[in-house]
Amino acid sequence: MKITGISIALCLIFTVSPVLAINYYVATNGADGAQVTGAINDPFRTISYGVSRANQPGDTLSIRSGTYSPGSTINMIYDGQPGNPITLRGYPGESVIIDGGTMAADQNVIAVISHDIIISDLEIQNATATGIAFYGPGYWIYDNEVFNTVIHHCWLGAVYVGYNDLANPPHDVYIHDNIFYRNSQSNALPPHTAWAIASGSGNAYNVTLENNEVYENFGEGIGFFISNRCHAIGNTVYDNFSVNIY
């Protein structure tokens, strides 16, 4: 039998697994462990454990009100994706303090060693090194953002972006709408011979500081050195040691 007048279409259907973003929570009355879901009514106890579970693109870790004193650096090692960052934030409308004063010497409070990360709505204080450090190679660290965060009384700076490899620096970090004050405490007492910049970069590119308030730090308020295509836009910078912008 001859069949005519029929066209046959072959369709190839490709399915892409959607990003299944999860909202996790940390609270002072929470607990850590595999049996804990991290849901708002079953939160984790420590931020470090929370960031180990919020490890997929699009995940958000919200920290409920209170003061948290981590014993060591909070390392953000998992990557987000463009349009699906991993977010570490204070819970909206609540006061969240991360106090690094109990850490050993030379410890950053938060170290970002990944890309597509957002940090917001926190207060960070008393770091024995830097409040938030983006330190590492550029193939790890890029497309990150910090905003609406207060950082103060850190031994070194509030926020630093850099690395010791000129061929592969971190890049594309946007730091905006924050408050940085009384950092660079290493230079608070005489003889005032060495200090860290309160915010900025060393060996990085495309780092932007915008609409921040930076004051009373014991080093330069904003500094870029050995850096390329970096921008300081609309910041309020005053009463810093040495110079306000370097």
Side-chain angles (χ1 to χ4, degrees), residues 7 23 31 44 47 81 92 121 128 131 144 150 152 162 187 195 202 204 207 211 217 235 238 243 246:
S7 62
N23 293 315
F44 304 128
I47 302 170
Q81 294 175 347
D121 301 286
T128 61
N144 296 313
V150 178
H152 59 93
N187 191 46
W195 54 86
V207 176
N211 296 334
N217 297 284
N235 301 283
Y238 58 95
V243 296
Y246 178 79

Side-chain angles (χ1 to χ4, degrees), residues 1-243:
M1 181 175 64
K2 185 178 181 180
I3 300 176
T4 62
I6 298 177
S7 62
I8 300 174
L10 298 177
C11 299
L12 298 177
I13 301 175
F14 295 91
T15 59
V16 178
S17 298
V19 174
L20 299 177
I22 300 176
N23 293 315
Y24 294 102
Y25 299 85
V26 172
T28 55
N29 63 348
D32 294 338
Q35 75 283 3
V36 181
T37 66
I40 194 167
N41 59 351
D42 188 28
F44 304 128
R45 174 61 183 87
T46 65
I47 302 170
S48 289
Y49 186 79
V51 299
S52 75
R53 293 280 295 270
N55 57 24
Q56 297 297 312
D59 285 354
T60 295
L61 181 65
S62 296
I63 308 171
R64 303 302 304 267
S65 63
T67 298
Y68 297 81
S69 300
S72 59
T73 298
I74 299 164
N75 290 302
M76 301 196 70
I77 62 174
Y78 297 104
D79 299 324
Q81 294 175 347
N84 289 292
I86 294 175
T87 299
L88 173 65
R89 68 173 187 173
Y91 189 85
E94 297 188 1
S95 175
V96 176
I97 298 172
I98 307 177
D99 191 328
T102 60
M103 291 182 179
D106 199 29
Q107 295 273 314
N108 305 313
V109 172
I110 298 175
V112 179
I113 319 168
S114 49
H115 60 80
D116 292 282
I117 300 298
I118 293 177
I119 298 172
S120 71
D121 301 286
L122 301 172
E123 181 176 350
I124 298 171
Q125 64 186 30
N126 299 328
T128 61
T130 301
I132 302 175
F134 299 88
Y135 188 82
Y139 53 78
W140 289 347
I141 302 173
Y142 58 90
D143 289 343
N144 296 313
E145 182 178 3
V146 179
F147 68 92
N148 201 31
T149 290
V150 178
I151 306 179
H152 59 93
H153 290 90
C154 296
W155 187 248
L156 299 179
V159 178
Y160 181 77
V161 185
Y163 192 45
N164 59 4
D165 183 355
L166 289 171
N168 191 30
H171 57 93
D172 294 285
V173 179
Y174 185 30
I175 302 164
H176 63 98
D177 299 287
N178 304 287
I179 299 174
F180 306 140
Y181 69 93
R182 299 195 73 78
N183 298 290
S184 308
Q185 287 285 321
S186 58
N187 191 46
L189 298 175
H192 307 299
T193 56
W195 54 86
I197 57 174
S199 55
S201 67
N203 187 24
Y205 68 91
N206 282 353
V207 176
T208 298
L209 277 82
E210 184 171 14
N211 296 334
N212 302 286
E213 185 175 5
V214 186
Y215 64 94
E216 295 181 3
N217 297 284
F218 296 96
E220 293 88 355
I222 294 175
F224 302 117
F225 61 96
I226 322 178
S227 295
N228 190 21
R229 300 195 301 275
C230 294
H231 308 275
I233 305 169
N235 301 283
T236 302
V237 189
Y238 58 95
D239 292 343
N240 295 285
F241 183 85
S242 183
V243 296

